[in-house]
Amino acid sequence: MSLRRAAVVTCSLLLGLAAPAVPAAASTKAAAAPTRATRLATVKAAKSLNYYPAANGWTAMWTNWNPARIDADLARGAALGATNVRVIVFPQVFGYPTPKAAYAARLATFVSLAAKHGMTVRLTLFDWWDAYADAKGSAAWATALLKPYANDKRVIAVELKNEINPDNAAVIAWAKRLIPAVRAAVPTMPLTLSVDGPTGAPGLAKIKKQLAATPLDYYDFHFYGNSERALSIIRTAQAAVSPAPIVIGEAGLNTRSNTEGEQAAFLARVFRAASAAGVRSVSPWTLNDFAAGAIPRSATAQAPIQYSYGLYRLNGTAKPAAAVVRSAWKGTALPASIVDSSFEAAAGQSPWRPYLPELGQAVRTSTVAHTGKSSIRFTRTGKTAAGSPSQRVAPIAPVGPGQKWKAEVWARGTAATGANQIALSWFDATDKWLGGANSASLPLGTTGWTKLTVTGTAPAGAASLQVHLKSGANTGAVWFDDAVLNPLH
C-alpha cells in the first residue's frame, strides 16, 4: 500500500555489492532450475502474506534489522497457512546504483528465514521511488540484486514498481526500459507491476496497452474497494488484462475507522469472490498492526489508518480477520461468528453497520434474546423520505444477477408502532440502488417472538446485496435476533 494514497483511504505481508551474500539455493543444479512457467504457476496459487515487522515498517525493516523478530513473525504467518511472503526492497536504503553487501546479505537472510517456514518470496523493488530518468541505473541495481536468485526456487516473482501510476508518462517510459533489462538478467523470473484499488481495472488496461511491446507475465491488483461487490470488481480487473492472469497482491480494511468485525467480513468476501472468479492468490494487508512511529516519514495527518490493517494487534493477539485468512488458506469452514447472525459478538467484533442512525440506532442488549444471550433493540425511531433506520450487513457469498435469496429474522415488540421488517436491497457495480424487497411488518403492539421472512431475486446488473433490519416511525420498542441470509439454489 502506498503511503501517499493511505491518507485518502477512508472506508493492497509487505509486506555495497562487491561480494554479495550468495543464497543457499544458488548452487542448485541447472537441471533443477525453475522455468518462468513453473514460477508463474507457483505465483498464481500462492497463499501470500504481506509483511513488515510491527515496530519497523517500510524502510525501517531493513535499517533496524531484527532477524529474530522476522523469524517469529514468519512462523506465525506459516501457522495461518501462508506459503509465500511479499517483501519490499528499497534502492535508497540498499544502496544505489550498487547494492551494499550488508543489505544484500539481509535480503538473503530473509529469503532463508522464509524458506525455513516453508514459504517462498515475492520481491517488490521500487517503492518510494521517483528517479525515473535514471532507467539505466535502475536496471543496473535491479540486475545486481536479482542475479543471485536467477535459479533460486525460493524467489518466485518480481514486482518492479508498487502501485504504478499509469498516467505518469515518465514512469511508463522507465518501465519500458526496465522490463527488458531485468528480463535479460533473470529470464525465468515472472515480472509484474501493481495498481491500487482506486486506479482499478482502467489502470490495468492502460498498463497492458502501454507495455504491449514489453508485456508483463501477470498483473497485481490491490483490492481496497467495496467488498460487497468484490466479484464484480475482480472480474472487471480480469477482463482488463485477459488472457494474462491476475493476483490480488494486497487486500485489507483498517480497524481504525472500521470495526474488527467489518475487517473480517471484508476479507472473507474478497477471498470468496476471488475463488468464484478463479483467482487463487489473495494477499492480506498486513500481518501486524504497526506501533506508533513504526512507519518512517509518516505523520498523523498523513497515514493514521495505515497503522491498523493488521491481522494481529500490537499485543500479539489475533483479530477475527486472522481466523478468516486461516480458513481460506487451509480450506476450512469460516467461523460462524464472522456474520454474527445472533448478535453475540463482543463490542467491535460484528460486521453489522447502522443505516440512517440519526433517525434511531440499534443497541445490543443482553436483557432479551430469542436464542443465546443477546439481541439488538430499536426504540423511538423516525422515518423520512430517505427511509427507515436499520442495522445492515452484506452476505459473505458473492452476489450476481438472477440469484434468489431468502432472509429471515425473529422479532418481538413492546407497544411497537410503524414498520418493523427485514428487507433486501440490491446495488449495481457503481453502488447505485436497484431495488429491494420487504417482509411483512411485525404486528403492532406487544408481541412474542415472530419470524419475519423475505425472498427476492437479484435484478439485472446486481453486484451486491444488503439485508436490513428496519424499524421506522416506531414509538415503542422492537428486538431482532437470529438473522439468516442465504442464496436459494
Side-chain angles (χ1 to χ4, degrees):
M1 173 180 281
S2 167
L3 281 178
R4 291 184 292 275
R5 178 172 58 80
V8 299
V9 177
T10 60
C11 329
S12 32
L13 264 113
L14 282 183
L15 210 167
L17 195 62
V22 178
S27 61
T28 303
K29 295 180 180 179
T35 67
R36 198 187 308 178
T38 59
R39 274 175 157 154
L40 184 57
T42 304
V43 170
K44 293 192 292 184
K47 299 170 182 176
S48 187
L49 187 68
N50 285 290
Y51 175 69
Y52 285 129
N56 296 297
W58 283 261
T59 54
M61 170 178 169
W62 303 105
T63 57
N64 299 334
W65 180 245
N66 187 340
R69 180 68 266 162
I70 293 169
D71 185 38
D73 284 344
L74 294 183
R76 173 179 284 174
L80 288 177
T83 62
N84 173 264
V85 58
R86 174 183 178 233
V87 65
I88 291 183
V89 179
F90 298 83
Q92 58 271 47
V93 168
F94 268 61
Y96 181 88
T98 302
K100 299 175 184 176
Y103 281 90
R106 291 179 181 183
L107 177 59
T109 298
F110 182 88
V111 172
S112 295
L113 288 172
K116 171 185 172 182
H117 297 290
M119 301 165 70
T120 57
V121 174
R122 289 189 297 131
L123 293 174
T124 295
L125 299 187
F126 286 96
D127 201 15
W128 290 8
W129 184 256
D130 58 7
Y132 302 123
D134 187 21
K136 182 178 179 181
S138 297
W141 180 84
T143 296
L145 193 75
L146 294 176
K147 274 222 167 179
Y149 302 98
N151 294 316
D152 190 334
K153 292 181 179 180
R154 300 173 303 168
V155 178
I156 61 172
V158 171
E159 177 187 357
L160 296 174
K161 178 75 178 77
N162 180 53
E163 296 185 351
I164 191 171
N165 178 0
D167 295 318
N168 184 327
V171 70
I172 296 299
W174 172 84
K176 287 179 178 179
R177 295 182 62 186
L178 190 62
I179 291 170
V182 174
R183 185 85 75 206
V186 283
T188 68
M189 189 75 74
L191 302 181
T192 191
L193 294 163
S194 65
V195 300
D196 62 7
T199 303
L204 288 171
K206 288 178 182 178
I207 292 171
K208 181 181 180 181
K209 181 178 180 179
Q210 292 167 327
L211 300 181
T214 53
L216 298 168
D217 296 291
Y218 70 101
Y219 292 80
D220 191 330
F221 178 56
H222 292 181
F223 192 109
Y224 292 99
N226 182 344
S227 68
E228 296 179 5
R229 52 185 176 94
L231 181 58
S232 173
I233 293 172
I234 293 169
R235 282 180 169 163
T236 302
Q238 287 177 301
V241 297
S242 180
I246 71 166
V247 300
I248 299 176
E250 293 182 14
L253 191 73
N254 75 83
T255 55
R256 177 184 175 95
S257 52
N258 306 276
T259 69
E260 291 184 358
E262 289 176 274
Q263 180 197 43
F266 176 99
L267 285 171
R269 294 186 194 107
V270 175
F271 272 108
R272 288 287 298 275
S275 178
V279 176
R280 299 169 61 195
S281 186
V282 176
S283 307
W285 176 268
T286 181
L287 182 65
N288 303 303
D289 280 346
F290 291 111
I295 303 177
R297 74 181 193 181
S298 71
T300 302
Q302 182 185 13
I305 63 171
Q306 187 68 280
Y307 283 83
S308 59
Y309 278 84
L311 304 177
Y312 290 87
R313 308 177 187 96
L314 279 175
N315 64 7
T317 58
K319 299 178 187 177
V324 169
V325 173
R326 183 183 297 108
S327 168
W329 283 346
K330 295 195 172 185
T332 58
L334 276 173
S337 59
I338 295 300
V339 293
D340 192 27
S341 61
S342 295
F343 307 106
E344 302 294 325
Q349 305 297 299
S350 178
W352 291 82
R353 299 171 293 131
Y355 176 68
L356 298 178
E358 66 276 11
L359 299 177
Q361 191 162 352
V363 296
R364 181 172 172 267
T365 176
S366 58
T367 59
V368 174
H370 178 252
T371 63
K373 298 180 179 179
S374 301
S375 65
I376 59 169
R377 182 186 71 232
F378 286 94
T379 56
R380 300 182 180 88
T381 62
K383 185 175 183 179
T384 69
S388 300
S390 68
Q391 200 74 349
R392 56 180 168 157
V393 76
I396 300 303
V399 174
Q403 288 177 324
K404 292 185 177 181
W405 290 81
K406 179 181 180 181
E408 58 188 33
V409 70
W410 290 88
R412 62 174 289 183
T414 296
T417 63
N420 301 285
Q421 303 164 300
I422 185 170
L424 302 175
S425 286
W426 283 279
F427 302 84
D428 70 7
T430 66
D431 288 336
K432 177 184 177 182
W433 183 70
L434 297 178
N438 294 299
S439 72
S441 186
L442 181 71
L444 303 181
T446 299
T447 59
W449 287 107
T450 304
K451 183 186 284 189
L452 305 179
T453 301
V454 60
T455 60
T457 300
S464 65
L465 166 65
Q466 293 176 355
V467 60
H468 289 248
L469 306 180
K470 301 165 54 176
S471 179
N474 179 14
T475 59
V478 63
W479 291 261
F480 292 105
D481 199 6
D482 296 330
V484 178
L485 173 65
N486 286 309
L488 296 175
H489 300 290

